[in-house]
Amino acid sequence: MKVPVFRYGRMVDLSRPLAPAQHPWVRYETKVESIAKEGQGWYVVGQMQLSGHAGTHVEAPLHALEDGADVGALSVEAFFGEAVILDLSAAPGATPVDLACMQETARRAGGVRQGDIVFIRFDWDRRAAGQYPPYPATEALGWLVGQGIKLLGIDSPGLEIEGDRCLPNHRLLFGRGIPLIESLVNLEQLRFSRCYVFAQPLPAQGTDAVPLRVLAFEGDE
Ligand SMILES: [Zn+2]
C-alpha cells in the first residue's frame, strides 16, 4: 500500500487568529482552570466561550434558513479542493459588484469551474475599517452559484446588500446548500489565481456557524 503524497510549493494561512473581540455578537473568551492540587505540578483544563462568528468562520444554511443544515451536517468534501481567487480588490466600499464586473474578473482568473471553491478578494482585512464593504449584487452572486461552485469565501465580514435585512445573498447561497466563509485574511499573498484549499470546521451539531482554519497551497509555477 502506498501512502498518498501531497506536493506543493507554498502555503498561505488565510485564517484570522481568534482573539477577544469587542462586538457583542462575536465574543471570544478563554479561561484556564487549575485542576492540580498543591505539589502535583501544572495540570489545567481550558474553557472557551465564543460566538460561532468569531474570527474566520463558516456559516451553514441554518444561519438564514430555519430548516437549513447546521454546521455538523455540512459535507466535509466542500472544504477541500481547487479554489479560484476573484481579485476585486479595486472595488470601492459600500458598492455592489455587478454581473459584468464579476464575469470579467472570473475570466481574468481563468474561469470558474464546476465544483470550484471561490474566494472573493476585496483586501478588506487591510483596507479602512468602519466603512461598509463592497458586496456582490444578487444577480452576480446568482451567476457564480450557477457555475456549480461548492463553497464561497470572502475577506469581509459579510456579503449582504447594504441595508437589506432580508439577507437575499445569504438565502441565495444557502438555498443551494453552499456554505459561506467570512473574514478570510491574506488573500493578497497568493501569487496565482488558482490554488488548493484545505479547511475544516469542527463537526459542531446544532449551530449555524463555527470558526475554522483555512489553508491555501500553491504550486511552484
Ligand atoms: Zn458571520
Side-chain angles (χ1 to χ4, degrees):
M1 187 206 70
K2 275 206 165 172
V3 176
V5 177
F6 183 57
R7 289 202 177 83
Y8 63 93
R10 187 167 164 265
M11 185 188 75
V12 178
D13 189 345
L14 305 180
S15 342
R16 187 181 287 274
L18 279 173
Q22 298 299 313
H23 194 288
W25 293 358
V26 289
R27 63 193 272 225
Y28 170 76
E29 290 164 25
T30 59
K31 192 171 69 177
V32 167
E33 283 180 0
S34 180
I35 303 294
K37 298 198 174 64
E38 218 177 312
Q40 289 181 337
W42 178 256
Y43 171 45
V44 297
V45 175
Q47 306 291 335
M48 190 166 58
Q49 216 175 22
L50 77 169
S51 160
H53 299 257
T56 303
H57 61 282
V58 64
E59 295 178 347
L62 179 63
H63 182 54
L65 299 177
E66 193 175 354
D67 57 356
D70 66 28
V71 169
L74 294 176
S75 158
V76 291
E77 292 185 327
F79 292 87
F80 59 89
E82 269 197 50
V84 60
I85 315 300
L86 302 185
D87 183 356
L88 287 159
S89 55
T95 306
V97 174
D98 67 16
L99 175 62
C101 179
M102 187 67 83
Q103 288 176 328
E104 172 58 19
T105 305
R107 192 193 60 75
R108 283 202 313 265
V112 176
R113 304 172 196 160
Q114 171 83 26
D116 266 352
I117 294 169
V118 172
F119 286 168
I120 293 179
R121 173 187 161 194
F122 289 135
D123 284 354
W124 203 247
D125 53 318
R126 51 198 66 230
R127 284 164 71 179
Q131 199 194 3
Y132 199 85
Y135 53 90
T138 303
E139 189 190 17
L141 186 64
W143 176 78
L144 264 186
V145 167
Q147 306 308 299
I149 68 172
K150 65 177 181 181
L151 174 66
L152 182 69
I154 199 159
D155 61 4
S156 59
L159 85 171
E160 208 43 80
I161 312 288
E162 188 179 17
D164 194 329
R165 305 295 296 166
C166 291
L167 308 181
N169 282 353
H170 282 79
R171 289 185 209 286
L172 173 63
L173 277 181
F174 296 156
R176 301 287 283 267
I178 301 168
L180 170 66
I181 297 177
E182 292 179 337
S183 295
L184 290 165
V185 291
N186 302 332
L187 285 171
E188 90 291 347
Q189 290 182 22
L190 294 170
R191 292 183 293 207
F192 307 110
S193 58
R194 293 192 80 85
C195 60
Y196 191 94
V197 160
F198 186 88
Q200 284 300 326
L202 300 174
Q205 295 179 347
T207 191
D208 68 304
V210 81
L212 81 175
R213 197 84 189 239
V214 185
L215 304 175
F217 300 88
E218 289 191 312
D220 289 320
E221 54 189 55

